Amino acid sequence: MTSPFIPVNTPLLDGNEADYLAECIRTGWISSEGPFIKRFEQAMAEAAGRRHGVAVSNGSVALDIAVHVLGLEAGSEVIIPTFTIISCASAIVRAGLVPIGVDCDAATWNMTVEGVEAAITSRTRAIMLVHIYGLPVDLEPIMALARRHDLKVIEDAAEMHGQTYRGAPCGSFGDVSTFSFYPNKHVTTGEGGMILIDDDALAERLAGYRNLCFQPQQRFVHEEFGWNARMTNLQAALGVAQVERLPRTVELKRRIGRLYDDHLAGVDRIRRPVARTNYADNIYWVYGVVLDDSVPFDAKEAMRRLGEKGIGTRPFFWCMHEQPVLRRMGLMRDESHPNAEYIARRGFYLPSGLALTDDEIARAAQALKEILA
């Protein structure tokens, strides 16, 4: 008998989730009008050190609305990491803006101040900071650069629930920040996202944008286009229960990272995640590895071999400057970012869900050692 398959992610729903969902059903508040929405927004805003949270239907639309509310002039350039998810680029393009990619650091996998500074032109109007896989971007020098050039900052903290930068919560930086609550996040609502902001007037506009820009005086007369991007009370109920145990979740994730490090300590044919920098300890949203040049196959083949051993994996992000949809639009065509290109081809992550057992971590690590032997 073969061992059970280990999925790349299994969420942990062992708090008040069932009780809060039952309350929604018992009271009939299952739509976006229910009381858990405000509770979730307030809880996330508090956790991220923000004044306001605006819950939306997913993390991608959170970026769409966050970019839109900044009101950047069409054709303006926005600097993004090329090593990120497509949602970052698509939010910029849909707003009529131009994404400009920068390479990542080979060790932390995050964008660098050197890359950002080199990408600034007379047409640059904003920087989208995206914290990748467990460590935040080194924020202080990039925020100083943004202030010097009068650039807006969008902080995509989708993977950083509970993470801090020099003690300050991720999600508290920049003009606006966003989170995702997909099932593999530290806080999940199944699907969902949130926009966080300190400006009172912008927060009110964001709330309108997520609700089709209905007006209180005359609901079906519209001054602007908005989105139907509302989160349901059912989703928010899950979110409230998840935020309640966020500190415990962070500790559990770090324990998973330490266990993988222990099991893989003697393996010299991979790059493991950086455990800490001088500004943050890794939160291990996922446990990623990068194959070095001595391994005669790429990430795709490694994942296939691990799949045969019952180990779920997922590839790293594919670079934005190599995305066919952007190249067909004439965007990012002439860019070259060797660090990101390398890790996109040779990086992937192992099972990293909160419900992982110690035995499953040991099995996954052993399977990786076997395919590298």
Side-chain angles (χ1 to χ4, degrees):
M1 181 181 294
T2 58
S3 299
F5 183 80
I6 304 174
V8 72
N9 176 71
T10 303
L12 195 59
L13 305 170
D14 64 351
N16 288 314
E17 290 87 353
D19 289 342
Y20 292 166
L21 286 171
E23 182 179 333
C24 294
I25 294 167
R26 186 175 64 252
T27 61
W29 286 111
I30 62 172
S31 75
S32 59
E33 299 293 327
F36 278 107
I37 300 289
K38 183 54 66 178
R39 283 179 60 180
F40 187 35
E41 289 173 336
Q42 291 172 341
M44 278 301 299
E46 182 178 345
R50 289 286 199 181
R51 284 173 55 83
H52 303 283
V54 178
V56 293
S57 52
N58 57 67
S60 295
V61 78
L63 285 170
D64 282 341
I65 301 173
V67 171
H68 178 81
V69 80
L70 295 179
L72 302 177
E73 182 182 357
S76 298
E77 294 177 354
V78 180
I79 296 170
I80 66 171
T82 191
F83 186 63
T84 188
I85 195 166
I86 193 69
S87 306
C88 300
S90 63
I92 292 164
V93 174
R94 288 192 185 109
L97 308 171
V98 180
I100 303 296
V102 298
D103 206 355
C104 63
D105 179 76
T108 68
W109 310 332
N110 276 299
M111 65 197 306
T112 65
V113 65
E114 294 82 7
V116 173
E117 188 165 24
I120 294 174
T121 73
S122 61
R123 297 178 297 280
T124 307
R125 295 293 180 271
I127 303 168
M128 182 180 285
L129 302 169
V130 187
H131 307 298
I132 298 292
Y133 288 172
L135 283 172
V137 174
D138 189 359
L139 290 162
E140 281 182 358
I142 296 180
M143 295 298 294
L145 198 62
R147 289 190 295 270
R148 190 158 69 244
H149 291 272
D150 193 25
L151 304 177
K152 298 290 187 183
V153 174
I154 306 118
E155 182 191 8
D156 181 352
E159 305 166 4
M160 291 291 130
H161 314 74
Q163 178 62 290
T164 60
Y165 174 86
R166 298 193 185 281
C170 290
S172 67
F173 296 86
D175 298 275
V176 61
S177 58
T178 64
F179 282 94
S180 165
F181 305 120
Y182 190 67
N184 60 9
K185 301 301 193 295
H186 287 112
V187 172
T188 182
T189 58
E191 291 282 359
M194 193 171 293
I195 311 161
L196 294 108
I197 201 162
D198 294 324
D199 185 284
D200 296 347
L202 283 183
E204 187 173 346
R205 288 183 64 198
L206 287 167
Y209 284 136
R210 63 109 180 259
N211 194 26
L212 292 171
C213 288
F214 289 131
Q215 296 189 82
Q217 298 83 5
Q218 197 164 0
R219 181 177 177 86
F220 295 115
V221 176
H222 300 265
E223 296 289 343
E224 294 184 81
F225 290 124
W227 287 258
N228 181 350
R230 300 181 293 264
M231 176 181 283
T232 70
N233 198 49
L234 291 163
Q235 292 170 300
L238 282 175
V240 170
Q242 293 267 294
V243 177
E244 287 175 347
R245 53 187 178 79
L246 182 54
R248 173 196 165 207
T249 296
V250 170
E251 287 307 309
L252 182 54
K253 277 284 191 172
R254 285 183 166 141
R255 181 177 182 275
I256 290 170
R258 289 193 298 269
L259 284 174
Y260 269 125
D261 276 347
D262 290 345
H263 286 296
L264 297 172
V267 181
D268 58 3
R269 304 181 78 187
I270 57 170
R271 298 184 208 164
R272 292 182 284 118
V274 173
R276 61 188 51 83
T277 66
N278 62 358
Y279 51 81
D281 290 344
N282 204 315
I283 204 170
Y284 296 102
W285 171 58
V286 295
Y287 194 92
V289 296
V290 179
L291 306 174
D292 73 19
D293 289 330
S294 69
V295 178
F297 47 83
D298 63 9
K300 189 174 183 179
E301 174 62 16
M303 293 166 60
R304 186 193 68 77
R305 297 184 185 192
L306 286 168
E308 289 182 345
K309 292 178 175 291
I311 308 300
T313 56
R314 183 166 290 178
F316 274 10
F317 296 131
W318 198 253
C319 301
M320 292 301 98
H321 70 283
E322 296 187 296
Q323 295 291 342
V325 61
L326 294 172
R327 289 193 164 185
R328 283 199 303 270
M329 300 172 75
L331 298 169
M332 307 180 82
R333 276 185 173 176
D334 299 325
E335 296 185 14
S336 175
H337 303 296
N339 287 342
E341 292 162 16
Y342 186 92
I343 65 174
R345 287 160 173 78
R346 301 189 69 79
F348 60 95
Y349 58 88
L350 297 167
S352 302
L354 285 162
L356 270 179
T357 67
D358 290 4
D359 286 346
E360 288 173 332
I361 293 169
R363 266 188 60 205
Q366 180 60 32
L368 178 59
K369 288 190 277 191
E370 288 172 3
I371 70 164
L372 295 174

